Amino acid sequence: MTAPTSSSAPESSERIVDVELTDEMEGSFLEYAYSVIYSRALPDARDGLKPVQRRIIYQMSQMGLLPQKGHVKSARVVGDVMGKLHPHGDSAIYDALVRMSQSWSMRIPMVDGHGNFGSLDDGPAAARYTEARLRPEALAMVQDLDEDVVDFVPNYDNQLTQPSVLPAAIPHLLVNGASGIAVGMATNMAPHNLGEVIAAARHLLEHPDASTADLQKFVPGPDLPSGGTIMGTEGISDAYATGRGSFKTRATVSIENIGPRKTGLVVTELPYLVGPERVIDKIKDAVNSKKLTGISDVTDLTDRHHGLRLVIGIKAGFDPAAVLSELYRLTPLEESFAINSVALVEGQPMTLGLKDLLQVYLDHRVTVITRRSEFRLIQRRRRLHLVEGLLVAITDIDEVIQVIRGSDDSATAKTTLKEVFDLSEEQAEYILELRLRRLTKFSRIELETERDQLTAEIAELESLLASTDLITQTVSSELADMAEAYGTPRRSVISGAAAQPPVKSSAHSKDLSLADEPCVVAVSALGKASRLSSLDAASLPQKRSSHDALLACLSTTTRSTLGAITETGVLHTFHASDLPELDAAKPRWSEGMSLGEYLGLSSSDGSVLGVIALDSAVPVMLGTARGVVKRIVPTDLSDKPQQPVISLKDGDKVVGASVASDDHHIVFVTSAGQLLNFSAGDVRPQGAGAGGVAGISLGEDAHVITATAALRADAKVVTISGSSVQLPGTESARAKVTPLSEFPTKGRGTSGVRAHSFLKGEDLLRKAFVGRHPRALGSRGQAVALPEELTKRDGSGTVLEGSVSALGEQPT
């Protein structure tokens, strides 16, 4: 109802109308909803841009912020956009500008940002601190905008005009995706690969009846800026068919050696829009709540030069693959992405599938090419008309000048020219504006050339506009140019297997530790360590590779503690579970993990000579280059990360370490070609700090090249001779294989017997090996054939066909 007014009050022009509250709220809400849907939240299906994005790109192009020019303050861009086109607040404009510059948000960024534009975990600096300019891809969005290819509409105050849609030579909506929440509806679209989208669009141009399945051969799935692995394609197919669907993405994770005796998970790619800090926080929460075990630490090593690198340390005795599976379940290392392809089509919000999205874009490009061709045709016809008038004037220039000089004013001159030379209004006006320097003979040639060129272009444009097929071919060829100019390889890997749903367990924390199962651990002659289950190892003789040669091999369990003995006499402990497991179908010991790198050994530590089980009561022998021998019992040693097991004199080093029970014989082979073998029972086991006892007596300038323990009855001795004046591998080395039983047993501390006779030019043994099934490897790991015939102990051997880099035991 209206308020009462006084009769003495002055009359007012105001009129108060009674309106029901519900009607007012309904009308105001509908206006608000309309504004949000059409002017803010939803992209146009033609150029794939929201109004704020379109206005930013257009205004930056009008400001001349081209890729070849310098950056300007982002605040200046925001101010121009807000003052001229988008009066909705600077924060919304700056947020959109920042997103268009972030390589992790958009598959093809439109803005080249300079400064702190944020990260997945942090926001950007203020607009007054950052700078921006357009990227080359953004110029493709406004390409040919000045040729009447789209409609222009008034801005918010009717003082300027702006494009209602951009020409968009790039299919922006599919390539960069979109997200937005309107009133009663929302959109969420994943980014795709530009080359794949354009290939599908060109196929649809040639085959308008193509099905979604046909198009999916070109676009197998989204291509996320952050990479990762897309698990399964079922949800993607649904989204491409109906506009709605979902898929799961997983981080790219590898199991690597991240330090001495430490294995970890290295994350190099994360799911779309997931930052490393978010992952770290979720891991910490899961560990603190006892939902996740087996993780020792998490380190973020991400930087701008090397990209994302998130290192997750795994505790000893835990299965990295099992821990990774739990990480996928409990943390954002695996995320779902729900596709809801809602966009504006002719001003109406619609849910679109892949074919619909491509068709709307192609129809837009056909319209752009048609309007551009019509505009160019009009411009060229107009120019041809003027050129023809100029040619008429230049042909009879003297009379033209006389007409102009005889006229009282320009209007009279124009009229007279039109009558005398039969010219149009535009031609006569253009002639009056003609400069005298254009009256040369050369200008006439230029005009005739221009006339012929314009005539040809007009004919070409008329043919183009008269043929739908030619317009389609032009659209296709221009799309191909965009793919060649801005296309990049696919980043996301699409896995055929869908991610398994998480299994709910009644236990508070799942046991991720490795089962203590029997296994075989081996170290190859080239220093590669790996393990294999006992059942698989039993079939190795049937599967072994010619490249396999072992330095050490022992039966143990996956959770046992092992020790590696180096040349410096130091024992480095590690766990069998830390070693990679071989493929049982194609086991190759030479493809394991470098044990030296895993233990963190430096050049001063020397190489690994043997591996022992610390829970074994069988003694282990060590032999040194100066002929010292020692036996220790592994169970007497501690499980420290590293500890010395022999006290070495200056200049001495360990040259051999192997299991030596009392029924074994200890064998020393010297560089002078001497061999001594005696019963291992002659050497009493000592503690870790002892220095050992005399093993072999050495001659002048001689040293032990190998020391080991073997069963005398079935062992063979391999010796390879050489020359001290020639580089190893350059001389014609000779090798000999002899049964160990051919060498008589001598007492400990003696000089032994001759094991190899040197020929002319030979004066030392390069290498020696004692084992049941010796095998030789070359410098590249290739097999080198040893003599098959067994010879007497003091023979000279036969010439090898290649140089030997390492000797080891054939896997059995």
Side-chain angles (χ1 to χ4, degrees):
M1 59 182 293
T2 60
T5 59
S6 173
S7 59
S8 60
E11 293 184 2
S12 173
S13 61
E14 294 183 359
R15 186 168 60 92
I16 300 176
V17 180
D18 289 335
V19 179
E20 290 291 336
L21 179 61
T22 55
D23 295 339
E24 178 64 25
M25 290 297 295
E26 181 179 345
S28 299
F29 183 78
L30 286 175
E31 290 182 8
Y32 167 74
Y34 181 90
S35 174
V36 171
I37 292 172
Y38 297 100
S39 301
R40 297 193 190 183
L42 298 184
D44 192 299
R46 293 172 292 177
D47 62 4
L49 297 171
K50 298 179 184 180
V52 64
Q53 296 173 321
R54 184 180 304 114
R55 290 163 182 168
I56 290 172
I57 293 176
Y58 171 69
Q59 188 58 37
M60 290 182 71
S61 67
Q62 293 299 106
M63 295 170 65
L65 304 182
L66 306 180
Q68 63 269 23
K69 295 187 177 181
H71 297 80
V72 302
K73 287 291 184 182
S74 300
R76 178 182 167 191
V77 177
V78 172
D80 271 29
V81 173
M82 181 172 61
K84 295 181 178 180
L85 305 176
H86 195 78
H88 295 292
D90 58 338
S91 61
I93 299 172
Y94 186 52
D95 288 345
L97 175 70
V98 167
R99 178 177 171 81
M100 287 195 293
S101 71
Q102 294 174 336
S103 59
W104 59 88
S105 296
M106 306 189 80
R107 189 60 178 81
I108 298 182
M110 295 285 113
V111 174
D112 179 12
H114 181 68
N116 179 14
F117 275 80
S119 67
L120 285 166
D121 298 304
D122 296 313
R128 62 183 179 273
Y129 298 122
T130 62
E131 298 176 342
R133 65 182 178 188
L134 291 177
R135 288 174 58 92
E137 296 87 341
L139 297 184
M141 298 296 293
V142 296
Q143 182 175 293
D144 305 324
L145 193 59
D146 58 346
E147 295 187 281
D148 192 33
V149 292
V150 296
D151 294 332
F152 276 71
V153 296
N155 70 334
Y156 66 92
D157 59 2
N158 291 320
Q159 294 188 13
L160 301 170
T161 60
Q162 59 183 332
S164 59
V165 65
L166 295 185
I170 290 176
H172 185 278
L173 187 56
L174 275 168
V175 172
N176 279 330
S179 63
I181 301 176
V183 178
M185 62 186 68
T187 184
N188 197 37
M189 303 176 66
H192 289 76
N193 184 274
L194 175 64
E196 295 175 354
V197 172
I198 288 180
R202 298 182 68 193
H203 179 78
L204 186 58
L205 278 174
E206 297 177 3
H207 306 86
D209 297 330
S211 64
T212 302
D214 295 334
L215 298 176
Q216 201 167 351
K217 295 177 182 178
F218 299 93
V219 186
D223 186 21
L224 307 176
S226 57
T229 302
I230 297 174
M231 307 302 295
T233 59
E234 183 177 353
I236 296 173
S237 299
D238 294 339
Y240 287 168
T242 66
R244 296 179 183 271
S246 65
F247 61 91
K248 289 184 179 293
T249 58
R250 280 185 174 179
T252 300
V253 187
S254 59
I255 301 175
E256 298 181 12
N257 173 29
I258 60 175
R261 294 173 292 277
K262 190 171 185 180
T263 302
L265 305 173
V266 178
V267 183
T268 53
E269 293 178 351
L270 286 173
Y272 186 41
L273 299 181
V274 173
E277 289 186 11
R278 179 182 164 196
V279 174
I280 293 173
D281 291 341
K282 289 294 184 181
I283 292 176
K284 289 180 179 178
D285 292 343
V287 171
N288 292 336
S289 62
K290 303 297 179 65
K291 293 180 181 179
L292 185 62
T293 58
I295 293 179
S296 60
D297 56 81
V298 183
T299 307
D300 186 6
L301 301 178
T302 304
D303 58 41
R304 293 186 178 182
H305 299 289
H306 302 92
L308 176 70
R309 185 173 176 84
L310 191 63
V311 180
I312 304 172
I314 304 298
K315 293 180 180 179
F318 284 82
D319 185 358
V323 175
L324 178 58
S325 178
E326 285 298 284
L327 285 171
Y328 284 141
R329 185 175 70 88
L330 298 172
T331 70
L333 290 181
E334 179 178 287
E335 283 277 275
S336 293
F337 188 96
I339 298 177
N340 186 24
S341 302
V342 178
L344 297 176
V345 180
E346 297 182 355
Q348 299 294 324
M350 297 180 63
T351 303
L352 307 171
L354 176 61
K355 183 176 180 179
D356 298 328
L357 288 167
L358 290 172
Q359 191 62 59
V360 171
Y361 172 74
L362 291 174
D363 291 343
H364 173 58
R365 287 301 298 170
V366 168
T367 302
V368 167
I369 299 300
T370 302
R371 292 184 59 166
R372 184 186 69 187
S373 301
E374 291 173 347
F375 177 85
R376 291 178 177 177
L377 180 60
I378 292 172
Q379 296 297 315
R380 280 152 180 75
R381 283 175 175 173
R382 183 177 300 171
R383 177 61 184 169
L384 178 61
H385 185 60
L386 296 177
V387 169
E388 289 175 342
L390 281 177
L391 287 172
V392 170
I394 291 177
T395 301
D396 202 356
I397 190 62
D398 294 334
E399 186 174 355
V400 170
I401 294 174
Q402 184 178 356
V403 168
I404 296 174
R405 292 187 63 184
S407 301
D408 296 332
D409 52 32
S410 60
T412 303
K414 183 191 302 183
T415 303
T416 307
L417 286 173
K418 290 168 58 178
E419 293 174 354
V420 173
F421 296 100
D422 192 21
L423 299 175
S424 67
E425 181 83 14
E426 294 82 4
Q427 288 174 327
E429 180 69 31
Y430 194 67
I431 290 172
L432 288 175
E433 299 294 333
L434 184 66
R435 295 183 179 182
L436 293 177
R437 65 182 180 185
R438 296 293 305 273
L439 301 179
T440 63
K441 181 179 180 181
F442 185 70
S443 294
R444 178 182 179 87
I445 296 174
E446 286 181 343
L447 288 173
E448 290 176 345
T449 303
E450 184 180 359
R451 179 194 60 191
D452 296 340
Q453 182 179 352
L454 288 170
T455 302
E457 291 178 359
I458 290 171
E460 183 179 347
L461 288 170
E462 288 175 342
S463 300
L464 176 64
L465 290 170
S467 173
T468 304
D469 291 340
L470 286 178
I471 293 177
T472 302
Q473 292 176 13
T474 303
V475 172
S476 179
S477 63
E478 291 188 1
L479 284 174
D481 293 340
M482 291 296 105
E484 183 178 357
Y486 306 119
T488 56
R490 166 171 277 276
R491 297 177 186 173
S492 296
V493 176
I494 299 178
S495 172
Q500 298 298 321
V503 179
K504 295 184 179 180
S505 175
S506 58
H508 189 59
S509 177
K510 186 176 180 180
D511 183 14
L512 304 179
S513 59
L514 285 168
D516 197 20
E517 298 176 343
C519 67
V520 174
V521 171
V523 180
S524 73
L526 299 177
K528 301 290 186 177
S530 49
R531 63 183 171 91
L532 195 65
S533 70
S534 295
L535 293 177
D536 294 330
S539 61
L540 273 181
Q542 289 76 36
K543 301 177 181 178
R544 62 177 179 256
S545 166
S546 61
H547 298 279
D548 287 337
L550 302 183
L551 172 70
C553 182
L554 65 157
S555 296
T556 181
T557 60
T558 52
R559 300 186 66 178
S560 63
T561 302
L562 306 179
I565 300 174
T566 64
E567 293 177 343
T568 56
V570 177
L571 178 77
H572 298 261
T573 60
F574 63 98
H575 296 274
S577 60
D578 295 337
L579 301 179
E581 188 168 4
L582 289 181
D583 181 3
K586 297 180 180 179
R588 291 185 61 174
W589 298 111
S590 58
E591 295 179 351
M593 174 178 62
S594 172
L595 187 57
E597 292 181 4
Y598 173 72
L599 296 174
L601 302 180
S602 64
S603 57
S604 61
D605 295 318
S607 59
V608 174
L609 298 174
V611 176
I612 63 174
L614 296 185
D615 59 357
S616 173
V618 179
V620 174
M621 64 77 56
L622 291 84
T624 75
R626 291 188 173 181
V628 175
V629 66
K630 177 182 179 180
R631 280 209 305 168
I632 56 174
V633 179
T635 52
D636 295 339
L637 303 174
S638 67
D639 57 356
K640 295 180 181 179
Q642 59 185 48
Q643 58 179 314
V645 292
I646 185 173
S647 179
L648 295 174
K649 295 182 179 180
D650 292 341
D652 200 4
K653 66 176 182 178
V654 177
V655 294
S658 63
V659 175
S661 60
D662 289 346
D663 58 347
H664 280 70
H665 273 66
I666 294 175
V667 183
F668 281 85
V669 182
T670 73
S671 59
Q674 295 292 111
L675 182 147
L676 172 66
N677 75 101
F678 54 87
S679 174
D682 295 344
V683 181
R684 181 175 58 85
Q686 296 177 307
V693 296
I696 186 173
S697 176
L698 297 173
E700 186 178 359
D701 297 330
H703 62 275
V704 178
I705 59 174
T706 188
T708 188
L711 294 174
R712 177 177 169 79
D714 55 7
K716 300 180 180 65
V717 178
V718 178
T719 52
I720 300 177
S721 60
S723 171
S724 60
V725 297
Q726 290 181 294
L727 292 175
T730 61
E731 76 272 47
S732 299
R734 305 177 69 86
K736 177 178 70 68
V737 181
T738 306
L740 179 59
S741 57
E742 292 289 322
F743 296 88
T745 301
K746 298 287 185 178
R748 178 180 62 82
T750 62
S751 59
V753 297
R754 176 163 295 280
H756 198 110
S757 295
F758 298 133
L759 299 180
K760 184 178 181 180
E762 300 176 340
D763 59 355
L764 54 73
L765 288 183
R766 288 286 186 194
K767 293 184 179 299
F769 177 79
V770 181
R772 294 179 59 193
H773 305 286
R775 173 165 289 174
L777 299 179
S779 58
R780 298 188 304 275
Q782 77 277 17
V784 177
L786 293 172
E788 296 184 0
E789 183 180 357
L790 301 180
T791 60
K792 59 182 180 178
R793 64 178 180 85
D794 58 349
S796 58
T798 58
V799 177
L800 288 174
E801 296 182 358
S803 62
V804 174
S805 177
L807 291 166
E809 184 79 19
Q810 174 181 297
T812 56

